[in-house]
Amino acid sequence: MARLELIDLSKRYGEHAVVKGVTLDVAEGEFLVLLGPSGCGKTTTLRMIAGFVEPSGGTARIGGIDVTYLPPWRRNTGMVFQSYALFPHMTVMENVAFGLEMRKLPKGEIAARAREALRLVRLDAFAERLPRQLSGGQQQRVALARALAIRPAVLLLDEPLSNLDAKLREEVRIEIRELQRQLGLTTIMVTHDQEEALTVADRLVVMADGEIRQIGTQRDLYERPADRFVAGFVGRSIFLDGRIVEPGIFESAGGLRLHSASHVPPGPATLALRPERLSLEPERSLDNRLPGRVEFVSYLGAVLEAHVRLSPADRVVVQLPNRAGSAPSVGDEVEVGWSREAGLVFAGQERTGAVEERT
Amino acid sequence: MDATLAPHRLDALSAGARPRADARRWGRWALNGAAALSLGFILLPLLLVTWLAFFRQEIPSFPPEGYSVRWFGAVANNKIFVNGFLLSLQVGIAATLIGLALAVPASLAIARRRFFGREPINTLLLMPLVVPGVVLGTAIYVFQIETEIATGLPVLGSTAGLVAAHALIVIPWAVRLVTASFAGFDPTIEEAAKNLGAPPFTTFRRVTLPAIRPGIVAAALFGFVMSFGNLEMSLFLVGAGRTTLPIAILQYLEWKIDPTVAAVSVLQIVLIGAAMIVTDRYVKISQVV
C-alpha cells in the first residue's frame, strides 16, 4: 500500500525505443489500468516497475523510495502473471507461503497469513492440491493469493484474465476489484481489453507507440478523448476527414458543412462521431440535420446499427435502440442528426495506425 | 426370424467399411509383431547370459548338465572382480557427480541464453558421444603422458585421471537430458519467485532445480551406466593392478570361459535394472528420455 511514481521512465533496445518517457503518479489505494494495443509498451512499463526490465532512463519510486535499479526481490511488489507462473511442484499452500518464507517470518505467522490469503480468494479447501489439479480459474486465484499474501506495496497484474473464458473473466475481474478495494491496494493492471479496463479502473492510461496518449477516468477518455487514437481505441468512433473552414464549421471531404463545438483552428481536420450520439429522428433544434440513404443494417439484438450514406465520400454509423416497428431498411431515405457537442474535431488527418473504423 | 435377419442386414451395410477396418487390424498386427521382434532381439542376449550363469558345468555347452549358483560364489571370491567392481563404482559415482556439476550450468546457459558460439559449444559438448571410444582413449592417453612429462604429476594410471576421462563421457548425456528438461520449463516461474523475494540462487534451488530434477536424475543414471560399462577408453588409462570391472571381465575371458563371467554380467544387469526401477519410482524418467 504505497504511492507509485514513474518519472520520465524509458526503455530502449539499441535504437528501438519501446517506452518513451512515461510519467505517472498513482495514489495510494488507486486502481490504475494501462490500456493499449499490443506492442505499445504497457507490459514493458509494468516489468520495469517489477524490476524485471532495467530502465534506460528515468526514475521509479514506490512509497517515496527510489527503486529504479533495485532487483525484483527487494521491491515488495506482488505480481500476477498472464500464465499464472505457479510453482508446479509445490502445493497451493506452499505456493502462497513462498513469499512469506522469503521474508523469514516465523512459521506460525506464515501458515496463518497464507491461509488468510487463500480464504480471501475462497480456496482454503484446496490448500493441499497441486496447481495442475486445479482449473484455470482456480489457478488464477492461487496466483492472486500468492501475490496478496506478501502484502505488497504495489499489486501488479499482467493481463491476468486473458487465459480465462469470457464468462469467468467477468466474474473474476469484479472479484479482483472488490478485493483490491477491500485491502486498499495500490494496483497497476495491464490489459488490451477495453471493457475489462473500463470495469475495474479508477483511472486509465491509454498508451500507444511507447507513449502515454491520455490519462483519465472512463468518462474523461470517452467524452473528451485527447486525440484521434484515443477516440478510436476507447469506445467506438466514426471518423470523417475534412477541414475546419471557419471557427465551428467543419467541411467534410464530401462537401458537407457541419457544426462543431471544438476550438480547432482552420486547416485539415478529422471529425469523430460516436454512433450512439446520432439519431435518425432528429429534433428540429439540432444543429446538424442531413438527408441520407441507408446502405446497410446490422441487427445486434438490443440495438440496431444503420450505415447511412450522407455524400459520395461520407458515411456514418447510427446506433438505434431496437424498438418495435421502427427498424429502417436498406434503401430508405432518412434524416440523420446530431448536436454540435457530439462531434469532436481533431486537427490534422494523420493516420495513427491504430484501431479505427472506416466507413 | 428378425434376430437372424438383423446381423445379415448389418453385414450388408458395413460391407463398404470392411476393407478399411481389416487394413487397420493388419496394420496393428504388423506393428505389434515388429515391436515384439525388436524387443526379443534386445532381450535375447540378456536372457541367454542369465541362463548361462546358472549352468553347473564349467564349459558352456547345450543342453546344460544341471543348474547351480556356485558361479555367483566364485565371483564373490574373485578378488579381481570385487576390486574391479569397487573401482568402477567409485569412478562411476565420481565421474557422474563431476560431469553433472559441469553439465547443469552448461545446459542452463545453452537452454536460456542467446550468446555467440552457443551452437558450436552445444555440439562440442556432445562430441565425446560421437568420437569412438578407442580414439578417445588414445587421445586422452597421449594427453596424460604429455601432462605428466610437462608437470611431473603422476596423472597416467591414477584414479583421478580415470575419473576425469569418465566425466568426459558423462557430459554429453547430462547436457542432452538436462537441456531437454529445460524445454518444458516456463521461465516466468523464476520471475514469480524473484518477485516474491527470492534472490537468484534461492530461485535456482527452490524453483528451477526441482523443475529439472527428472532430467538431472536421468542424466545421473545414464552417465553412471555409461561410465560403469566403459571398456575401450578405460583400457588405455588404468594403472597396473587396478582394473575396472569391464576390463577384469575381459582379462578373465582371455584364460577361462566358465560361467563366472555370465554371473558377473547378471549381477551388473540386476544392479542397473534395480537402479532404473528405483529412480523411476521417484522421478518419472520416461518424461525426459
Side-chain angles (χ1 to χ4, degrees):
Chain A
M1 275 156 277
R3 179 174 169 203
L4 171 76
E5 297 154 278
L6 307 182
I7 301 145
D8 201 25
L9 205 64
S10 66
K11 180 64 193 175
R12 269 186 315 277
Y13 291 102
E15 287 297 292
H16 182 58
V18 184
V19 176
K20 305 167 188 164
V22 163
T23 299
L24 274 178
D25 193 337
V26 190
E28 217 175 294
E30 188 178 8
F31 199 130
L32 189 88
V33 172
L34 301 182
L35 179 65
S38 52
C40 71
K42 57 190 192 301
T43 298
T44 307
T45 305
L46 193 79
R47 292 173 62 80
M48 284 195 280
I49 299 170
F52 297 129
V53 173
E54 188 175 297
S56 311
T59 310
R61 281 197 210 112
I62 296 175
I65 300 160
D66 187 339
V67 299
T68 317
Y69 298 104
L70 228 51
W73 54 93
R74 299 233 186 88
R75 290 200 180 199
N76 200 30
T77 62
M79 184 139 168
V80 176
F81 294 83
Q82 187 171 6
S83 62
Y84 315 142
L86 299 177
F87 308 130
H89 57 289
M90 297 186 198
T91 63
V92 167
M93 187 68 171
E94 286 165 347
N95 263 280
V96 176
F98 187 85
L100 303 169
E101 252 178 79
M102 291 302 125
R103 278 157 181 73
K104 305 206 164 53
L105 297 176
K107 277 226 159 60
E109 196 182 340
I110 291 177
R113 273 173 66 175
R115 216 168 291 124
E116 182 202 324
L118 280 175
R119 204 163 27 240
L120 278 177
V121 298
R122 294 176 289 109
L123 278 179
D124 23 347
F126 296 85
E128 297 313 315
R129 299 270 187 100
L130 286 172
R132 64 165 174 275
Q133 297 167 317
L134 303 178
S135 70
Q138 290 168 334
Q139 289 184 24
Q140 208 277 341
R141 273 145 61 197
V142 176
L144 185 64
R146 189 175 65 176
L148 293 176
I150 61 171
R151 294 181 189 155
V154 182
L155 181 65
L156 305 173
L157 309 170
D158 182 11
E159 307 246 5
L161 307 176
S162 60
N163 286 337
L164 302 177
D165 61 63
K167 181 123 182 63
L168 201 56
R169 205 174 324 173
E170 281 174 33
E171 286 173 27
V172 176
R173 73 187 176 207
I174 289 167
E175 204 173 313
I176 288 181
R177 177 57 166 152
E178 283 176 343
L179 268 176
Q180 181 270 339
R181 208 171 268 163
Q182 181 189 331
L183 301 172
L185 277 172
T186 311
T187 303
I188 316 285
M189 177 163 107
V190 157
T191 183
H192 63 268
D193 180 336
Q194 58 152 308
E195 194 189 320
E196 190 174 300
L198 295 171
T199 316
V200 296
D202 287 319
R203 270 195 311 160
L204 301 107
V205 177
V206 180
M207 290 185 72
D209 305 322
E211 286 171 327
I212 293 181
R213 292 302 185 92
Q214 191 172 2
I215 306 178
T217 63
Q218 287 84 336
R219 181 175 283 270
D220 292 337
L221 299 183
Y222 197 79
E223 312 263 338
R224 290 177 294 279
D227 59 19
R228 182 183 167 139
F229 172 80
V230 178
F233 193 76
V234 179
R236 185 167 166 216
S237 292
I238 306 304
F239 296 104
L240 298 180
D241 291 332
R243 49 191 296 113
I244 293 287
V245 285
E246 55 191 88
I249 301 292
F250 175 88
E251 193 182 281
S252 76
L256 305 171
R257 282 175 71 85
L258 305 168
H259 296 274
S260 152
S262 297
H263 303 286
V264 173
T270 303
L271 178 71
L273 297 167
R274 301 280 188 198
E276 73 277 11
R277 298 281 165 92
L278 272 53
S279 162
L280 286 187
E281 293 154 358
E283 291 163 29
R284 290 271 142 227
S285 59
L286 285 180
D287 311 303
N288 297 304
R289 274 180 292 116
L290 302 147
R293 177 193 289 269
V294 177
E295 290 192 332
F296 185 76
V297 179
S298 354
Y299 185 95
L300 301 173
V303 292
L304 303 174
E305 279 180 8
H307 296 235
V308 181
R309 169 94 33 216
L310 299 177
S311 82
D314 303 303
R315 187 161 92 156
V316 294
V317 177
V318 183
Q319 198 180 72
L320 342 148
N322 186 3
R323 294 203 195 89
S326 69
S329 47
V330 174
D332 285 0
E333 298 290 342
V334 293
E335 189 176 38
V336 181
W338 65 90
S339 73
R340 68 171 66 209
E341 288 78 24
L344 294 165
V345 178
F346 302 108
Q349 290 180 0
E350 53 28 297
R351 292 281 172 276
T352 50
V355 188
E356 60 178 47
E357 198 165 348
R358 303 292 308 159
T359 56
Chain B
M1 191 63 193
D2 275 344
T4 53
L5 198 72
H8 176 74
R9 210 188 279 153
L10 268 177
D11 272 2
L13 278 172
S14 62
R18 180 57 66 80
R20 212 177 312 147
D22 273 357
R24 211 175 302 141
R25 192 171 328 134
W26 275 110
R28 205 156 42 223
W29 271 98
L31 182 65
N32 288 344
L37 211 65
S38 316
L39 196 64
F41 189 70
I42 294 167
L43 285 180
L44 194 64
L46 298 185
L47 293 175
L48 275 179
V49 163
T50 311
W51 191 25
L52 191 66
F54 292 96
F55 281 17
R56 194 172 58 203
Q57 75 267 38
E58 202 163 314
I59 307 296
S61 64
F62 293 93
E65 290 162 11
Y67 294 100
S68 148
V69 290
R70 67 184 173 121
W71 304 115
F72 289 92
V75 174
N77 291 327
N78 187 321
K79 253 193 126 71
I80 299 176
F81 279 154
V82 173
N83 289 337
F85 172 80
L86 290 177
L87 182 64
S88 284
L89 196 68
Q90 278 171 8
V91 171
I93 290 171
T96 303
L97 291 178
I98 294 171
L100 280 179
L102 295 172
V104 171
S107 309
L108 194 69
I110 287 168
R112 285 295 175 70
R113 300 280 156 79
R114 296 287 168 266
F115 53 90
F116 179 75
R118 176 171 154 270
E119 272 307 312
I121 287 173
N122 192 15
T123 312
L124 191 72
L125 288 171
L126 299 181
M127 277 310 271
L129 206 61
V130 185
V131 178
V134 176
V135 177
L136 207 57
T138 316
I140 295 172
Y141 177 68
V142 172
F143 172 75
Q144 292 193 348
I145 289 176
E146 292 294 334
T147 313
E148 209 167 306
I149 293 169
T151 62
L153 296 168
V155 182
L156 192 66
S158 68
T159 309
L162 195 60
V163 167
H166 276 229
L168 199 64
I169 55 171
V170 171
I171 287 173
W173 286 94
V175 168
R176 249 296 143 258
L177 290 165
V178 177
T179 39
S181 67
F182 270 116
F185 180 73
D186 175 10
T188 50
I189 290 173
E190 287 176 349
E191 289 187 345
K194 287 179 183 159
N195 178 254
L196 291 165
F201 184 71
T202 311
T203 300
F204 180 75
R205 194 172 53 82
R206 294 285 309 272
V207 173
T208 316
L209 209 54
I212 60 168
R213 205 178 55 176
I216 291 177
V217 171
L221 191 64
F222 276 74
F224 178 76
V225 170
M226 290 311 286
S227 162
F228 195 84
N230 183 276
L231 172 69
E232 315 94 286
M233 192 183 72
S234 309
L235 270 176
F236 290 87
L237 305 173
V238 291
R242 297 164 48 74
T243 56
T244 62
L245 186 59
I247 295 174
I249 293 172
L250 186 71
Q251 286 171 346
Y252 189 85
L253 276 175
E254 284 176 33
W255 307 107
K256 285 179 174 173
I257 53 166
D258 65 42
T260 312
V261 171
V264 174
S265 307
V266 168
L267 290 175
Q268 205 172 327
I269 293 166
V270 168
L271 182 82
I272 290 170
M276 290 190 98
I277 290 167
V278 168
T279 34
D280 199 58
R281 271 193 78 90
Y282 295 102
V283 186
K284 285 278 157 249
I285 295 170
S286 48
Q287 287 173 352
V288 192
V289 185

